[in-house]
């Protein structure tokens, strides 16, 4: 199990990359996701296919008791998937919980969903993305495999992601089509 980066088109199976692999492993898959609505969609999708009450998300919208209940389920190994924002990794209590679970071999994968945000949003919009790589690999000393996924990465962004996550060319799976037949352009003058 090594770290990897998947560049796949929208609808190309990015979710399946972590859902299937994590389903075959013991422990919880932590999915770092930048958008609350996307977290909810992932949990609803997992519930539909039978992961009822084994997937959850934590956002700033939840009340304290809801977050505490989710953390309790996480600590008790009752979750197979948890969706969080990158900001959550800046919280010491959360990092302590994750470290404890990693030491007990109860984290199957870390997933960086929409990993292009690590490069594109970190500098201006979401500084927590800039700290994420350091947090995962230097502070947590993470040995758990990291699956990074995106449908959006220019060559510059790809290069930056590879540097931040210390990935080689062989760690990158690229399945993008350059043509977009569903798009039509009409030039009006």
């Amino acid at each position: 199990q090594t770290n990897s980066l998947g560049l796949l088109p929208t609808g190309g199976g990015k979710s399946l990359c972590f859902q299937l692999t994590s389903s075959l492993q013991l422990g919880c898959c932590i999915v770092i996701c930048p958008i609350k609505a996307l977290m909810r969609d992932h949990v609803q999708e997992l519930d539909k296919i039978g992961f009822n009450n084994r997937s959850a998300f934590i956002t700033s919208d939840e009340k304290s008791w809801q977050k505490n209940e989710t953390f309790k389920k996480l600590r008790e190994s009752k979750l197979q998937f948890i969706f969080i924002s990158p900001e959550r990794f800046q919280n010491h209590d959360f990092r302590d919980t994750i470290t404890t679970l990693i030491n007990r071999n109860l984290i199957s994968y870390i997933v960086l969903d929409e990993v292009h945000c690590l490069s594109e949003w970190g500098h201006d919009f979401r500084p927590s993305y800039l700290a994420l790589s350091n947090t995962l690999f230097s502070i947590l000393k993470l040995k758990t495999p990291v699956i990074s996924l995106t449908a959006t990465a220019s060559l510059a962004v790809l290069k930056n992601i590879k540097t931040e996550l210390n990935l080689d060319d062989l760690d990158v799976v690229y399945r993008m089509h350059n043509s977009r037949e569903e798009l039509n352009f009409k030039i009006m003058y």
Side-chain angles (χ1 to χ4, degrees), residues 46-128:
L46 286 163
D47 285 350
K48 282 182 189 175
I49 61 173
F51 285 90
N52 302 3
N53 298 316
R54 290 185 289 148
S55 62
F57 57 85
I58 297 174
T59 70
S60 58
D61 295 340
E62 275 68 56
K63 294 178 178 34
S64 290
W65 69 268
Q66 291 170 309
K67 290 177 192 176
N68 290 338
E69 186 64 30
T70 301
F71 279 127
K72 182 178 182 228
K73 287 174 73 174
L74 179 63
R75 284 189 297 274
E76 293 174 352
S77 301
K78 293 182 178 177
L79 291 176
Q80 195 151 5
F81 297 93
I82 186 163
F83 297 84
I84 60 163
S85 71
E87 286 80 9
R88 185 69 47 196
F89 270 96
Q90 303 314 308
N91 178 294
H92 291 287
D93 290 337
F94 181 75
R95 289 198 310 232
D96 288 346
T97 297
I98 297 308
T99 300
T100 300
L101 293 172
I102 288 171
N103 290 337
R104 292 172 49 206
N105 292 319
L106 294 176
I107 301 295
S108 59
Y109 291 96
I110 304 285
V111 176
L112 303 177
D113 196 17
E114 307 294 340
V115 72
H116 63 276
C117 298
L118 186 99
S119 177
E120 292 179 347
W121 289 3
H123 301 283
D124 303 317
F125 179 56
R126 303 275 293 264
S128 58

Side-chain angles (χ1 to χ4, degrees), residues 5-21:
L5 168 62
L7 283 89
L8 302 164
T10 300
K14 289 184 295 297
S15 297
L16 185 61
C17 289
F18 69 84
Q19 290 171 353
L20 180 61
T21 55

Side-chain angles (χ1 to χ4, degrees), residues 141-156:
K141 310 243 186 288
L142 189 70
K143 301 290 185 225
T144 303
V146 176
I147 301 172
S148 305
L149 300 163
T150 187
T152 310
S154 66
L155 291 177

